[in-house]
Amino acid sequence: MLREGLIYLSENRLARGFVTHAPGARTMARRFVAGEHLEEGVDVARNLNRAGMKVTLDCLGESVRNRDEARAAADVYIRLIRRIVDEQLDANVSLKMTQMGQDIDEAFLHENLKRVLDLAASNDMFVRFDMESSAYTQRTLDFFRRLWGEGYRNIGVVIQSYLKRSAADIGQLNAEGVRVRLCKGAYKEPASVAFQDKADVDANYVTLMQMLLKDGNYPGIATHDEKMIQATKEYARNIGKSVKDFEFQMLYGVRRDLQQQLVAQGYNVRIYVPFGEAWYPYLMRRMAERPANLFFIINSVLKESPLRFLAGK
Ligand code: FDA
């Protein structure tokens, strides 16, 4: 219930206005977001590289319906790619198609995205398309295949284990040689398309992880779930895959202990580092994944408000 409520609020304009202006909310967002500016993302990436982790940088933004805003988002990615190259960071970028104009029209999306992909390709940099709600799954994969057909090979997609269609998608993507990031899925989806029980989502995650490890192209196993991580390590060992044939991926600010442990064990670990002003929906999805996070935010909001006595300070 709480999870559904938080995901609902992540898309609600009124709640966004309230939370983004609430004192303390920004401080809380900093736990999961590098900062509001590109340079803060670059600083975090540099520190993570020093700690032996690879990075994927994400300029926050989604559901953009205005052409200027979508163009501005592509401009930030262009600056970002240049900064990654100048700084020689071990980093690539992740972006959302709805941030680049998917809801405007496909010709515009293509034109806007091409600027980013061409610059990335000429710098041998990989671009990952995040996956949004199931309303976008087919469109995102179709558009991805259009780009793949145009010869882009520096691109990859995300598949979510809560979707019932995902085994078929992974079968096809493996056959095409596409790099896939596997995650559980962060949106609210109906039972017609998605498993509703955590046990089913987890069981499917293990099946899909095995498909990717066996036949995939350098998959990204994106999870903080120790059971999924253990299953991945065991399966890789059983089929004779090296630790360098895949990477674990985790979110900035989540299970830092586990991130360091995996690096110490010799695994490739990539951290997803978001930055930017549009942090509200991202933060709400992180709350939904672990409602205990909500109590941190309430506490930090109260601490900075006239009601601070309620938070014990
Ligand atoms: P699960 O939710 O079962 O959590 C396992 C454990 O991890 C929890 O018990 C807790 O300890 C810890 N944990 C998980 N989330 C936490 C949080 N927010 N705060 C604190 N602790 C937490 N989704 C999507 O739909 N499209 C996408 O493109 C992506 N991209 C993406 C990239 C990367 C690198 C990651 C790691 C994740 C995504 N996701 C995503 C999000 C993903 O779908 C999923 O919602 C979260 O990763 C949480 O799922 P877990 O696999 O961690 O398992």
Side-chain angles (χ1 to χ4, degrees):
M1 271 302 279
L2 192 51
R3 176 177 184 271
E4 276 76 39
L6 288 164
I7 294 179
Y8 167 77
L9 287 179
S10 73
E11 292 159 10
N12 185 287
R13 274 172 178 275
L14 251 164
R16 178 172 62 196
F18 178 74
V19 173
T20 48
H21 292 101
R26 251 196 192 88
T27 315
M28 176 60 198
R30 287 301 288 259
R31 190 182 148 195
F32 298 105
V33 174
E36 295 197 342
H37 307 289
L38 186 152
E39 284 310 318
E40 291 167 299
V42 168
D43 286 346
V44 166
R46 199 184 299 113
N47 287 335
L48 288 166
N49 280 177
R50 282 188 190 131
M53 296 174 211
K54 301 169 188 300
V55 166
T56 185
L57 278 154
D58 167 57
C59 168
L60 291 163
E62 54 199 84
S63 312
V64 171
R65 293 198 164 76
N66 170 303
R67 283 170 197 255
D68 288 342
E69 213 182 306
R71 278 193 202 98
D75 291 343
V76 176
Y77 273 96
I78 285 168
R79 280 178 27 230
L80 176 62
I81 291 169
R82 293 200 174 117
R83 288 291 289 128
I84 292 174
V85 172
D86 288 350
E87 288 272 335
Q88 299 185 312
L89 295 174
D90 185 353
N92 61 36
V93 297
S94 289
L95 57 78
K96 291 185 173 53
M97 284 194 190
T98 67
Q99 179 183 23
M100 294 290 147
Q102 193 174 27
D103 288 331
I104 299 170
D105 75 58
E106 210 167 89
F108 174 79
L109 170 65
H110 188 260
E111 171 199 313
N112 203 30
L113 202 49
K114 205 170 146 32
R115 300 191 291 137
V116 177
L117 296 184
D118 287 340
L119 179 67
S122 65
N123 286 288
D124 206 14
M125 190 181 297
F126 182 77
V127 178
R128 175 83 62 185
F129 297 113
D130 287 342
M131 189 57 85
E132 300 177 66
S133 74
S134 63
Y136 293 96
T137 310
Q138 192 58 50
R139 286 166 64 188
T140 298
L141 292 176
D142 288 347
F143 194 79
F144 175 84
R145 288 202 170 92
R146 173 177 169 187
L147 297 169
W148 192 257
E150 288 170 12
Y152 289 102
R153 289 295 178 272
N154 60 321
I155 53 177
V157 287
V158 177
I159 294 294
Q160 298 148 323
S161 73
Y162 62 17
L163 291 187
K164 295 176 181 171
R165 58 176 286 164
S166 290
D169 285 332
I170 287 191
Q172 205 177 335
L173 291 162
N174 279 351
E176 291 160 324
V178 174
R179 269 171 72 173
V180 172
R181 171 199 294 156
L182 177 65
C183 66
K184 290 189 186 176
Y187 298 82
K188 174 160 170 45
E189 300 292 356
S192 53
V193 298
F195 299 111
Q196 304 294 307
D197 290 343
K198 179 172 161 53
D200 294 331
V201 177
D202 289 358
N204 199 36
Y205 194 98
V206 173
T207 304
L208 302 178
M209 170 276 286
Q210 294 183 347
M211 290 174 75
L212 285 170
L213 250 58
K214 191 161 165 288
D215 299 319
N217 175 11
Y218 190 67
I221 306 301
T223 182
H224 318 90
D225 186 333
E226 294 190 56
K227 287 200 187 110
M228 303 298 112
I229 290 171
Q230 193 51 34
T232 306
K233 289 177 176 174
E234 280 168 17
Y235 187 71
R237 208 176 305 123
N238 290 344
I239 63 166
K241 290 285 175 185
S242 128
V243 291
K244 300 299 168 202
D245 291 333
F246 63 97
E247 64 185 27
F248 285 113
Q249 298 187 352
M250 295 195 200
L251 300 175
Y252 174 65
V254 178
R255 292 301 311 263
R256 276 171 276 209
D257 55 332
L258 205 49
Q259 298 173 5
Q260 285 159 2
Q261 229 178 70
L262 289 169
V263 171
Q265 291 166 354
Y267 290 98
N268 282 334
V269 177
R270 187 179 302 275
I271 307 301
Y272 185 104
V273 177
F275 68 88
E277 290 173 17
W279 46 262
Y280 171 76
Y282 181 85
L283 178 66
M284 295 306 273
R285 288 196 292 274
R286 304 294 76 84
M287 298 292 141
E289 283 154 6
R290 191 165 176 265
N293 289 337
L294 190 60
F295 300 107
F296 287 107
I297 198 170
I298 291 171
N299 201 38
S300 60
V301 168
L302 284 176
K303 272 183 191 163
E304 292 180 35
S305 83
L307 296 172
R308 56 187 163 268
F309 61 89
L310 288 176
K313 283 216 175 155

